[in-house]
Amino acid sequence: MKSALVLAVVLGACGGPVFHLTSPDNDRNALTAALAHRNLPEQPAPLNASRTPRVFVVAAGPTKQLIAYDLQRGAILWKQNADVESRIWVGGNFIVEVEHKQLVARDQQTGTVTWQTDIPGEFIGATADADRAYVAYKENASTWWLAGFDGASGKRLWKADADGVLGAPMAHGGIVYVPYNQQWLSLVDGKTGAIAARIRGIDEGISMLRVTSRVAFYGSKQGVFRLDERSASGKRADSSYAQVVVPPQLDKTTYGRDTYDPVQNAYTAADRARILYAAPADGMELGAYAVHYFRFVFGFARGGTLVWAYSNPRVELVASEDTGAAILAISQTGDLVALDPANGAVRLDQNILKGATTGSVLGATFDADGWSPSAQGEKTETVAALVSIARDHDARFDRVKELAVQALAKLPGGEVTQELLGVLADTRAPQHLKDVVVDLLVARKDPASLSVLAAQLSAHDDFLLQTQPLALGPVAKAIAGLGGAKLDPAAVAAALAALQSHLDAPTTQVADLVFVIDAMAAIGGGKERPALGSHLLLYHADDDLGSDPAWGKAIVLALENHGGPGERELLRQVAADPRTKPDLVAIIRDALAND
Amino acid sequence: MRVLAFACAGLVGAAPAGAKPDQKADKKAVAGKKAVIDQLAIALAGVDDEAAAKAADELGDSTDPAAHEALLDGLAWGLRAPVAVQAASALAKHPAPPDVSSLRRYATHHNPTVRGSALTALALYPDPVAHAAVVQGLHDPAGVVRASAANAAAKAHVREAIEPLFALLARGEEPAARALAAMADADLVRKLGDQLGKVPDASLALCLGLVLRRPDFGPDAERVEVVRAIGKITDQAAVNALTDYIDATPKNPPRPSRAEAEKMVEARLSGGAK
């Protein structure tokens, strides 16, 4: 009764354009009343009247097709040829979409057109709730309109004008959220078109809207607010507000559609780069979240640690939704994928359009809040997914591959090291990615990987076998990084033997040789000294190696730092040999200066 | 590791007490010889590459074990490339088992000439380690080293080298053809004949032609088989190989292999059966 009174007060305060700059805003009582005015389900549920989880798909082809699929039964509900120019908005017994600049309503059970109406101006956006459809449009250079239509008949119920820019609206249980002039979010009574409350973003603009069956979110690319009473503050600090960490490799991802971008009234690439999150029970403390990025979905823990990954084979996922119980996505070829939001386990991977269409899926709208296919002990294949991403040859995703190898490198074990080395061996992998992998291998310091790294050294420059060492320097550098770690003696022996084979190899480049020497010194524990001493003697007077300062520094420091009195005596004698190259003599004298 | 002995260890035994005058003369001669070797050892380790190479050569010529030891010491301490080339050859003038490990070290030197020289020297050591180094040399990225290894394999009749030599033959490497020709017996010739179509015709013709011209290869019935194997090769190199054989072989006493070769060359030149 009280909320109805406040609502009436606010409605009564309106004069001139319904949407205008001087309307009251951030009124907590009005907001509370407007929110209470919504007719929302007790539990998360689909919006359609039968509360059946559905997905509405628009497929390309000689003639576009609109297909409704019943997720619960796993069957196509209907399909219709329809030249759909927009996304699909779901109401109670109907859906609406745009065809040939007309708002078209279709029966949700059959797909037949129930009514259609001209959009009298430039289309800004549409939405629907159980009983009504709503359209925002711009009629001339300076007037925007929001209009309400009866969902069953298409009869226009009201229209409200605005003296500033309106964004695409979203309906929610009888209230319509309407962005205004980038800074405001108006809550409009869907029945009358009157403004019930208005929020003004004080320290963040309002350009993004997302609605589930029970919760509405708004915000911008910077962060996301939960629409609740605290929103009346207009400030992040006093609102239910969240910002999640998105790796820079997944740039351009958003919390929801940009309501001011008319292009996004249709399904676009923006739908393929989305932050997916479920509403917390209260407030906006987001725990886990995910990012849908074209072919991939990444799961993150709070704080931004990547915990799982999903890689869709070959084709992109064109639409996705976090239902609160599952992450749903559909691919260009009609594969419906359901992932466990907690661990990325694949609960469902099924082509739902087999035989129904020959065209690729352009986009889809899920009406499946709260729904998930039943879990059946699915395995999480995160490593396989990350490897698949890292090895992907699609050049558009080079930065995503970086993210994948970074995530891989955080996992322990020789198998992961093997996979990282596989990236280095891939002739089609971009050089920048290989550079990243090299850095990660070096930083990895995983003792369990020593035998894998040593095995990598088995290839040599061999004319007959047509082989060459693969990433010798980086692998040696990675082994050197294991110095001081507790290592398996057998793995150390194998690694030393492999390293020495490259130390002695005639064609090892100086740059690699330096890392080989460092690695031998780092893990040898003294067993490397004879080989390194012999190497120094062999080349101390050599015109090429003997004069190379990097080589000289590496070999001298390896013997000086890791050797004993014998090695230091050897260095002294080498320095005293008149044939020894002057640069090498200087390095030895520097190294022995404190002796 | 022997690294610190610039001068060779004294190999000359101490003279027994109460030595007679002629023994004194011997001792003096020995001392003089030792001094020469010491001087050569110093030169070997000196900064003058030319003098060091000459010293290596002279030490190699000496039958004195101390000279050999001086070479080994020089190699162990590390010789500059031009000197190492000479020292490896010098060492092999009087092969001794301890040489192998020293030469093997130089067989993987960064300088290809040094590697080639070490492999050539290793041919003179009937040691599995030496043979393994020679076989490894056949895999070397540098052609000059592979050639040295092929020559060494032929010289030492390294059986383990045959397979990689076939692989090199398949890549048209002439040193491999020459090495296989030098090593070939009747059995190997049959295997070479089987390579027709698998290796370049010119390389196979060269190899089999060289087998024919080996005076130690025979009896003549086996040469006939070689001629027939060459006859199957369509490349002009086959005609050249047969012509070379005919030219290098006297008419008398008549050899069936020469007659067969003549027949084939005539047939080829007249455009008849190949």
Side-chain angles (χ1 to χ4, degrees):
Chain A
M1 184 65 192
K2 185 183 174 187
S3 61
L5 183 66
V6 173
L7 190 62
V9 168
V10 173
L11 298 180
C14 295
V18 178
F19 299 91
H20 60 101
L21 284 174
T22 55
S23 297
D25 52 38
N26 294 341
D27 180 326
R28 193 178 183 98
N29 290 335
L31 178 60
T32 303
L35 293 176
H37 196 66
R38 297 175 301 179
N39 181 20
L40 302 179
E42 290 295 315
Q43 299 295 327
L47 295 173
N48 64 74
S50 63
R51 298 289 190 245
T52 305
R54 290 171 183 159
V55 58
F56 300 90
V57 177
V58 177
T63 308
K64 279 186 191 171
Q65 285 193 309
L66 177 52
I67 302 163
Y69 185 86
D70 185 326
L71 293 166
Q72 192 72 58
R73 287 195 302 123
I76 290 175
L77 196 56
W78 49 262
K79 63 174 182 174
Q80 295 282 352
N81 290 337
D83 192 12
V84 179
E85 294 169 347
S86 69
R87 54 182 63 240
I88 309 298
W89 293 280
V90 180
N93 289 315
F94 64 96
I95 58 168
V96 287
E97 31 91 13
V98 176
E99 295 178 40
H100 306 293
K101 297 188 177 176
Q102 287 201 316
L103 188 69
V104 177
R106 289 173 181 271
D107 183 286
Q108 208 172 124
Q109 286 297 328
T110 64
T112 53
V113 175
T114 51
W115 55 265
Q116 52 196 352
T117 184
D118 285 337
I119 299 167
E122 184 186 331
F123 181 59
I124 300 296
T127 184
D129 58 20
D131 303 316
R132 287 176 290 274
Y134 309 91
V135 178
Y137 58 94
K138 183 181 174 187
E139 200 166 40
N140 53 46
S142 58
T143 308
W144 283 258
W145 291 93
L146 177 71
F149 297 85
D150 179 69
S153 66
K155 180 188 171 193
R156 197 183 79 199
L157 303 174
W158 51 263
K159 69 174 189 174
D161 59 343
D163 61 1
V165 181
L166 294 183
M170 277 203 179
H172 201 205
I175 291 288
V176 189
Y177 308 127
V178 189
Y180 171 67
N181 270 350
Q182 302 276 351
Q183 196 179 357
W184 286 271
L185 182 67
S186 299
L187 279 67
V188 176
D189 184 336
K191 202 170 179 180
T192 64
I195 292 182
R198 197 165 78 148
I199 297 163
R200 177 166 55 95
I202 294 173
D203 51 10
E204 185 165 325
I206 299 173
S207 57
M208 182 282 296
L209 274 177
R210 178 184 167 227
V211 169
T212 71
S213 62
R214 289 183 42 75
V215 181
F217 304 96
Y218 65 98
S220 69
K221 286 176 183 169
Q222 296 170 50
V224 56
F225 295 83
R226 179 188 184 123
L227 182 60
D228 58 17
E229 289 82 352
R230 300 182 70 205
S231 297
S233 73
K235 294 179 181 174
R236 293 170 178 167
D238 300 323
S239 300
S240 302
Y241 179 74
Q243 282 178 321
V244 300
V245 178
V246 177
Q249 293 89 348
L250 306 179
D251 59 350
K252 295 178 183 159
T253 50
T254 58
Y255 293 95
R257 67 156 293 195
D258 181 346
T259 64
Y260 290 102
D261 180 3
V263 175
Q264 293 187 38
N265 278 314
Y267 299 112
T268 68
D271 293 297
R272 305 174 190 187
R274 194 73 87 208
I275 300 165
L276 303 171
Y277 48 97
D282 194 17
M284 202 52 197
E285 287 286 324
L286 290 180
Y289 59 97
V291 173
H292 164 203
Y293 199 77
F294 298 90
R295 281 177 45 207
F296 317 112
V297 186
F298 297 98
F300 296 89
R302 185 202 304 247
T305 305
L306 196 155
V307 289
W308 58 263
Y310 170 79
S311 172
N312 196 61
R314 299 180 300 283
V315 294
E316 291 180 13
L317 300 168
V318 295
S320 58
E321 186 66 63
D322 187 335
T323 69
I327 289 171
L328 303 182
I330 188 164
S331 77
Q332 286 172 310
T333 49
D335 291 312
L336 177 72
V337 179
L339 305 174
D340 185 329
N343 56 24
V346 180
R347 290 182 181 163
L348 181 73
D349 182 359
Q350 183 185 334
N351 193 295
I352 61 170
L353 302 181
K354 199 169 268 181
T357 178
T358 53
S360 63
V361 174
L362 299 173
T365 295
F366 288 97
D367 179 25
D369 203 32
W371 181 80
S372 169
S374 55
Q376 294 174 344
E378 306 80 7
K379 282 185 182 172
T380 306
E381 302 286 357
T382 294
V383 171
L386 291 172
V387 169
S388 157
I389 296 167
R391 298 281 188 89
D392 197 290
H393 289 147
D394 191 332
R396 292 175 301 161
F397 301 125
D398 284 354
R399 296 202 71 211
V400 184
K401 293 171 204 168
E402 277 177 42
L403 179 69
V405 295
Q406 284 170 358
L408 264 180
K410 287 176 185 162
L411 304 172
E415 285 176 12
V416 169
T417 301
Q418 189 77 59
E419 298 296 351
L420 291 170
L421 291 169
V423 175
L424 296 182
D426 186 346
T427 52
R428 292 174 65 188
Q431 187 54 46
H432 179 66
L433 181 68
K434 291 186 178 186
D435 293 343
V436 171
V437 168
V438 167
D439 290 343
L440 291 169
L441 279 172
V442 173
R444 195 163 147 71
K445 298 183 190 298
D446 175 29
S449 297
L450 180 57
S451 55
V452 174
L453 292 167
Q456 182 71 17
L457 298 176
S458 62
H460 291 80
D461 199 352
D462 190 309
F463 178 79
L464 281 179
L465 300 177
Q466 293 285 289
T467 56
Q468 289 200 317
L470 184 66
L472 171 59
V475 171
K477 210 172 165 187
I479 293 175
L482 297 176
K486 192 175 178 188
L487 300 169
D488 173 24
V492 170
L496 271 183
L499 287 165
Q500 191 181 336
S501 72
H502 288 283
L503 181 79
D504 294 341
T507 51
T508 303
Q509 300 296 307
V510 179
D512 291 335
L513 205 47
V514 167
F515 293 126
V516 168
I517 292 166
D518 288 349
M520 290 180 74
I523 66 163
K527 292 191 176 74
E528 80 290 358
R529 292 178 202 165
L532 293 180
S534 172
H535 182 73
L536 171 65
L537 288 174
L538 195 58
Y539 295 110
H540 73 288
D542 187 75
D543 286 337
D544 297 325
L545 266 187
S547 300
D548 190 290
W551 174 83
K553 200 171 174 189
I555 190 73
V556 169
L557 292 183
L559 288 166
E560 207 276 330
N561 291 342
H562 298 269
E567 281 68 35
R568 280 190 278 279
E569 178 57 25
L570 173 67
L571 289 171
R572 270 190 284 274
Q573 295 210 27
V574 168
D577 184 341
R579 297 170 304 165
T580 305
K581 294 293 169 186
D583 287 350
L584 183 59
V585 172
I587 292 167
I588 294 173
R589 288 192 177 142
D590 274 359
L592 296 177
N594 295 327
D595 260 27
Chain B
M1 186 169 25
R2 104 189 40 246
V3 292
L4 304 177
F6 262 94
C8 64
L11 293 176
V12 181
K20 292 181 178 167
D22 57 338
Q23 288 174 316
K24 273 186 185 172
D26 285 350
K27 197 176 169 185
K28 201 173 173 183
V30 168
K33 211 171 164 186
K34 182 178 179 300
V36 169
I37 291 171
D38 284 352
Q39 284 304 310
L40 290 172
I42 289 166
L44 180 67
V47 292
D48 183 341
D49 285 349
E50 203 175 324
K54 190 162 177 281
D57 204 33
E58 288 180 28
L59 285 166
D61 287 339
S62 170
T63 54
D64 192 324
H68 198 82
E69 199 67 18
L71 281 169
L72 281 174
D73 281 341
L75 286 163
W77 183 246
L79 295 174
R80 287 168 48 74
V83 186
V85 168
Q86 206 65 35
S89 309
L91 196 68
K93 286 178 183 173
H94 300 102
D99 305 352
V100 173
S101 62
S102 180
L103 289 169
R104 191 168 169 269
R105 191 163 158 244
Y106 282 84
T108 58
H109 195 277
H110 280 218
N111 185 307
T113 311
V114 174
R115 297 205 292 280
S117 173
L119 290 167
T120 301
L122 281 166
L124 298 170
Y125 296 82
D127 181 312
V129 174
H131 288 186
V134 168
V135 171
Q136 191 52 43
L138 296 172
H139 292 250
D140 199 288
V144 63
V145 180
R146 292 195 300 277
S148 296
N151 293 340
K155 200 169 182 180
H157 274 265
V158 179
R159 305 299 300 180
E160 302 90 324
I162 289 174
E163 196 182 317
L165 283 170
F166 269 110
L168 291 174
L169 186 70
R171 289 167 189 268
E173 298 233 333
E174 189 178 316
R178 292 183 181 281
L180 285 167
M183 296 168 75
D185 53 16
D187 186 45
L188 189 53
V189 163
R190 270 188 291 280
K191 284 181 186 162
L192 282 166
D194 291 343
Q195 298 301 306
L196 184 64
K198 298 176 190 169
V199 305
D201 280 358
S203 301
L204 189 57
L206 171 69
C207 182
L208 292 171
L210 290 169
V211 173
L212 268 188
R213 292 172 66 180
R214 260 176 52 200
D216 63 327
F217 186 81
D220 198 58
E222 285 178 1
R223 283 198 208 100
V224 171
E225 292 305 313
V226 177
V227 169
R228 287 177 182 159
I230 295 173
K232 291 178 186 168
I233 301 170
T234 55
D235 193 273
Q236 175 63 29
V239 177
N240 296 346
L242 292 173
T243 306
D244 286 348
Y245 176 57
I246 294 164
D247 291 348
T249 313
K251 277 187 179 176
N252 292 305
R255 274 191 193 178
S257 61
R258 189 175 188 276
E260 183 77 10
E262 282 178 325
K263 221 163 61 181
M264 285 185 172
V265 170
E266 270 178 37
R268 285 283 185 96
L269 295 179
S270 63
K274 288 174 180 177

